[in-house]
Amino acid sequence: MSTIAQTTGGADPRGTQPRTDPRAWLGLAIMSLPVLLVAMDFSVLYLAIPTITDQLEPTAAEQLWIVDIYGFLIAGLLITMGNIGDRFGRRKILLSGATLFGLASVIAAFAPNPEVLIGARALMGVGGATLLPASLSLISNMFPNLRHRSLAIGVWTACFAGGSAVGPVIGGVVLHHFWWGSIFLLNVPILLVLLVLAPRFVPEYRSGTTDPFDVLGVVLSLLGILPLVYAIKHLAADGVDAVGIVSAVIGVVAIVAFIRQQRSAKHPLLQINLFRLPAFTSAIMAALTCMMTLGALSYLTGIYLQSVLGRDVLAAALAGVPMAVAVAVFSLGASRISSLLGTRGAFVTALLFAAVGNLGLLGLGTDTPLWIYLAATTVAGVGYGIVFSLVSEVAVASAPPERAGAASGISETSFELGTSLGLALIGSLATLVFRGNSDGRDFSDTLGETLRHATQLGSDQGGDLAQTARTAFVDGLHVAVGTSAGILVVMAAVIAVVLRRRQAR
């Protein structure tokens, strides 16, 4: 057992709030480690994809699966793993997930082909799905003082937002010195620290509930998400065919069945009724939208910086620092912005900042000065940082107290699912434009493959093919960020109307 008790007794000097054991802050620092890792591993591959493409030669579909199978499994299993932690012990599931995450990271580091790497990333997703809900739910037990608990949740959120933003930077620096698999080995020593220290400084907790698992809900949710995303990628890469259509139909039917089943289930995986709350729905949709657009932006610009502008991986990583700093700083300062502008004003302002940043990327070309990229992504980072910090607070606060746990799980799921949907939907849109703008030339599935083919041709023919491919990729990037900006503006307008109506009641 932990040396920290669940400190529910004792009052602070004012006699109004129970005290927090000072060692709980060390426990929070320890639990922040897996949060950083899980968030980083969403984005750490963005700058590594060109190198992985050269080494493992994945197809366009395999390339996207390498990046986003991790996020889809996390999103699909988060609420389930949260329920398992409640029953069998949150610290126990935290340590089990960390062990699986570490072992899968080692497999990924030495993957000999795309199939093994995709499988390892899938196992990392299963492990990551245990780490996030376990760490966040333990905070409520470790911090009985409401003010301290609010600060602890803020730190947790900042770690998640900052980890997602800093992932490409760290990945780029590591790739500059070592081979691509080293980005996964970074996880191992950090997880070892967690495994050694958590039993001492993180308390165990279990709810003792005997409610049955919603196994059917888990199956239907995954059966809906994965085939539908596969269909989107397949149709973007290969055009309309029977495989794409059948996969899409299976996904849509399963999602409809999932929603119907959740409405009638006695112990549902997803609390559908929470979406009747305007503030809750606004927060979830804002998280989903921002993670979609940020995921696509980070993935596509990582390729742009290296394969179009010709920057090495270290230069590309350093170019991501301003946005990472903006996300972290404004995530921590979001509460002050919310107090000045109100929740509605903060959400709308943040979404518009993110939209303006995406629109700024329309100025990118095949030989654009780097400052345009830096300015646009920094502005976008301001907006994303504010939204990330507000979402968890607003989603949980808007739900009834007895549903706060379910609201937290849905909030986390929206972050993970948003990243993966962005890569699948907006990333596939960019791929479709890239291949459609080939001007009859022999383009491969990806820009990296096309450039590699160009080097095998003569200087005149190869140079012409490479320039056409880079221009086509920039065209796809423009369509992607323009679409992202439009989605963000629409979401800002929807939230402005929905929350205004709520305040008027």
Side-chain angles (χ1 to χ4, degrees):
M1 293 296 293
S2 169
T3 59
I4 299 180
Q6 293 182 22
T7 53
T8 55
D12 67 9
R14 296 171 296 176
T16 58
Q17 288 289 326
R19 289 194 301 267
T20 298
D21 190 308
R23 289 172 295 177
W25 295 105
L26 181 56
L28 174 64
I30 295 168
M31 290 194 302
S32 295
L33 297 176
V35 175
L36 278 169
L37 287 182
V38 172
M40 282 172 50
D41 274 278
F42 275 105
S43 56
V44 74
L45 285 185
Y46 293 154
L47 289 179
I49 279 297
T51 303
I52 292 175
T53 298
D54 289 338
Q55 297 293 320
L56 300 184
E57 299 184 358
T59 65
E62 288 174 336
Q63 182 173 306
L64 284 174
W65 277 119
I66 288 171
V67 176
D68 61 21
I69 186 63
Y70 171 76
F72 277 117
L73 284 176
I74 287 183
L77 295 173
L78 261 177
I79 298 176
T80 299
M81 292 301 182
N83 289 333
I84 292 175
D86 287 342
R87 289 168 170 79
F88 300 105
R90 292 171 178 172
R91 187 183 68 188
K92 182 182 295 183
I93 199 69
L94 177 75
L95 298 179
S96 299
T99 302
L100 178 60
F101 198 91
L103 292 175
S105 296
V106 174
I107 296 173
F110 298 100
N113 55 54
E115 292 81 6
V116 173
L117 183 54
I118 291 170
R121 291 280 288 171
L123 287 177
M124 290 175 67
V126 176
T130 70
L131 297 174
L132 289 178
S135 59
L136 184 57
S137 59
L138 280 167
I139 288 177
S140 63
N141 306 114
M142 296 169 62
F143 295 90
N145 183 290
L146 294 180
R147 182 170 61 86
H148 294 166
R149 184 187 304 170
S150 177
L151 176 59
I153 291 175
V155 171
W156 189 97
T157 304
C159 286
F160 185 86
S164 182
V166 81
V169 179
I170 294 176
V173 172
V174 172
L175 285 169
H176 181 70
H177 297 285
F178 306 101
W179 97 108
W180 64 265
S182 59
I183 60 178
F184 297 111
L185 292 183
L186 284 176
N187 299 334
V188 177
I190 298 175
L191 290 170
L192 286 175
V193 172
L194 172 69
L195 292 172
V196 170
L197 296 181
R200 181 177 181 184
F201 294 101
V202 176
E204 182 59 285
Y205 174 85
R206 58 176 59 89
S207 64
T209 181
T210 58
D211 292 342
F213 289 120
D214 183 13
V215 177
L216 180 59
V218 175
V219 173
L220 288 175
S221 64
L222 292 176
L223 191 59
I225 292 173
L226 296 180
L228 189 58
V229 173
Y230 174 79
I232 294 170
K233 296 176 179 180
H234 183 82
L235 293 172
D238 301 319
V240 178
D241 61 11
V243 174
I245 293 174
V246 171
S247 298
V249 170
I250 292 174
V252 170
V253 170
I255 288 176
V256 172
F258 171 73
I259 294 174
R260 291 174 61 88
Q261 183 264 345
Q262 291 295 288
R263 287 176 173 172
S264 60
K266 186 175 182 181
H267 303 288
L269 183 70
L270 183 66
Q271 295 284 347
I272 298 291
N273 290 338
L274 287 174
F275 288 94
R276 296 178 180 176
L277 304 171
F280 175 82
T281 302
S282 297
I284 296 304
M285 293 306 296
L288 194 66
T289 300
C290 282
M291 290 307 296
M292 280 181 62
T293 57
L294 176 58
L297 180 155
S298 299
Y299 173 69
L300 294 172
T301 56
I303 297 174
Y304 168 81
L305 290 170
Q306 295 178 81
S307 298
V308 176
L309 293 188
R311 306 273 176 173
D312 64 27
V313 68
L314 179 60
L318 295 177
V321 170
M323 184 175 75
V325 171
V327 169
V329 169
F330 281 87
S331 176
L332 291 172
S335 59
R336 294 184 180 180
I337 296 173
S338 180
S339 65
L340 291 174
L341 303 179
T343 300
R344 172 174 169 264
F347 265 128
V348 171
T349 300
L351 288 165
L352 292 179
F353 262 87
V356 170
N358 275 271
L359 285 175
L361 295 175
L362 292 175
L364 299 180
T366 57
D367 57 355
T368 304
L370 188 61
W371 71 264
I372 295 178
Y373 167 83
L374 297 176
T377 53
T378 300
V379 172
V382 171
Y384 289 131
I386 296 171
V387 170
F388 295 157
S389 186
L390 290 177
V391 165
S392 295
E393 178 182 351
V394 172
V396 175
S398 63
E402 68 274 12
R403 295 185 178 180
S408 175
I410 296 172
S411 173
E412 294 169 32
T413 301
S414 67
F415 281 114
E416 281 75 35
L417 186 59
T419 300
S420 297
L421 283 176
L423 297 175
L425 298 173
I426 303 176
S428 293
L429 176 62
T431 299
L432 190 63
V433 174
F434 167 71
R435 298 190 66 182
N437 289 2
S438 62
D439 291 334
R441 298 178 184 275
D442 186 20
F443 275 15
S444 300
D445 289 341
T446 66
L447 176 60
E449 291 177 359
T450 305
L451 294 178
R452 188 165 56 249
H453 175 64
T455 60
Q456 299 171 355
L457 302 175
S459 58
D460 292 338
Q461 187 179 1
D464 189 39
L465 175 62
Q467 183 59 35
T468 302
R470 291 188 177 98
T471 301
F473 181 85
V474 170
D475 292 339
L477 173 63
H478 287 169
V479 172
V481 296
T483 301
S484 294
I487 293 172
L488 290 164
V489 170
V490 170
M491 184 53 57
V494 169
I495 289 180
V497 172
V498 170
L499 294 187
R500 181 173 60 187
R501 289 177 179 173
R502 176 175 179 269
Q503 292 169 357
R505 292 177 182 174

